[in-house]
Amino acid sequence: MRFVIIGAGRVGLRTARVLQEEGHDVVLVERNQGRVERARRGGFSVIEGDGSREQVLESAGIDRADALGALTSDLNVNFAACLIGKHHGCRTVMRIDEDYREDIYRRYAEQVDEIVYPERLGAIGAKNAMLGGDIRAIADIAQNLQLVELTVTANSPTQGYTISEVQLPANARLLAIAKRGESIGLPDPDLSLEVGDRLVVLADFDVLEDVRQIVVGPEDAILSASE
Amino acid sequence: MVTVYVMIKANTGEADRLRREIEELDGVDRAYIVAGDVDIVVRARLESTADVKDLVADGMHAISGVADTSTYIAMG
């Protein structure tokens, strides 16, 4: 597929790299000369110019592109680029700078197909690393709703119980389970939980810690077990 | 008569509520939810420049979700 990406900063360049490595055609648009040169040295095709101008996007091949990623840190440039991209029949992805704006753009910006907030994704990664191996955030579904994968430990109070016996908080649902070393599937209510089993749960942020206590076990117990 | 434009930066995703509460303020003619580095642009028609403070400092800043405002008074 063909993609046009506005902005060759950290977000734009990294996205371009991933797409290019997967065999897609990518053209970057960047107005800062230093960044243009850096991206060219990195093997990317770059148009130097303002990505909020139609002429510039046309020279980047917007007419033939499947999607446009407006990934600069400037919201005005990003939105203008999406307007132009939509006009040329592209799927449009816009980077936003603050999370409260996600709802506003989803609701009102018809020219924007998808919103990305890179800081949120970065925070999920950082949180996973800090929490350690027993709980892993898969995605933020909404501001208050998170999809997490938890691993049953030796300290887990649910160990030995069947899935139908496990009581999760009201704002949490068990979606899938994988027995130790096996691939993930829909939960069978008669399956019993053993150390190393992985559970995928959709939970409200408010009950995330409760879910962790139930599935993984109390934190102090984990610490003393690892000492 | 004074015409003023106020650019509002929010800190909430509840743009509909903000717009509704802003449009209820005395003198506000129209409020638009906009794309870009501000979230709402308001046009107001006031009796005098003294009313600007009442509208912006007392009215808009009292609304929960209004983070920052910039006011422009039309000259011509």
Side-chain angles (χ1 to χ4, degrees), chain B residues 32-58:
Chain B
Y32 292 95
I33 296 166
V34 296
D37 53 9
V38 297
D39 302 294
I40 295 179
V41 174
V42 180
R43 186 178 65 196
R45 295 188 197 280
L46 305 167
E47 286 297 321
S48 71
T49 48
D51 297 329
V52 175
K53 178 194 161 287
D54 292 343
L55 174 67
V56 180
D58 304 338

Side-chain angles (χ1 to χ4, degrees), chain A residues 147-180:
Chain A
L147 196 61
V148 294
E149 183 187 283
L150 307 110
T151 306
V152 177
T153 70
N155 300 304
S156 167
T158 54
Q159 195 199 339
Y161 288 90
T162 64
I163 286 178
S164 59
E165 289 168 329
V166 173
Q167 293 280 323
L168 290 181
N171 292 335
R173 300 275 182 286
L174 174 65
L175 300 181
I177 180 169
K179 294 299 289 175
R180 182 181 199 141

Side-chain angles (χ1 to χ4, degrees), chain B residues 3-51:
Chain B
T3 300
V4 295
Y5 286 85
V6 186
M7 314 290 147
I8 296 178
K9 162 88 175 59
N11 57 20
T12 169
E14 300 171 274
D16 275 336
R17 176 184 63 79
L18 278 188
R19 173 165 61 182
R20 198 177 58 243
E21 293 185 15
I22 288 162
E23 283 191 328
E24 284 168 3
L25 296 172
D26 282 343
V28 171
D29 179 26
R30 200 58 226 273
Y32 292 95
I33 296 166
V34 296
D37 53 9
V38 297
D39 302 294
I40 295 179
V41 174
V42 180
R43 186 178 65 196
R45 295 188 197 280
L46 305 167
E47 286 297 321
S48 71
T49 48
D51 297 329

Side-chain angles (χ1 to χ4, degrees), chain A residues 146-219:
Chain A
Q146 194 162 72
L147 196 61
V148 294
E149 183 187 283
L150 307 110
T151 306
V152 177
T153 70
N155 300 304
S156 167
T158 54
Q159 195 199 339
Y161 288 90
T162 64
I163 286 178
S164 59
E165 289 168 329
V166 173
Q167 293 280 323
L168 290 181
N171 292 335
R173 300 275 182 286
L174 174 65
L175 300 181
I177 180 169
K179 294 299 289 175
R180 182 181 199 141
E182 291 177 22
S183 59
I184 212 144
L186 290 175
D188 172 352
D190 297 329
L191 217 57
S192 64
L193 293 173
E194 293 160 314
V195 175
D197 293 351
R198 291 174 297 137
L199 273 61
V200 175
V201 175
L202 181 64
D204 193 283
F205 270 117
D206 293 341
V207 298
L208 212 53
E209 187 49 36
D210 298 338
V211 172
R212 179 195 166 97
Q213 295 262 348
I214 292 167
V215 178
V216 178
E219 211 152 349

Side-chain angles (χ1 to χ4, degrees), chain A residues 74-76 79 94 97-98 100-101 103-105 107-108, chain B residues 9-13 15-16 19 33 35-39:
Chain A
D74 185 325
L75 225 56
N76 294 39
F79 187 73
M94 177 174 167
D97 58 347
E98 292 192 59
Y100 77 85
R101 286 190 159 130
D103 292 339
I104 300 177
Y105 281 85
R107 170 124 192 233
Y108 292 100
Chain B
K9 162 88 175 59
N11 57 20
T12 169
D16 275 336
R19 173 165 61 182
I33 296 166
D37 53 9
V38 297
D39 302 294

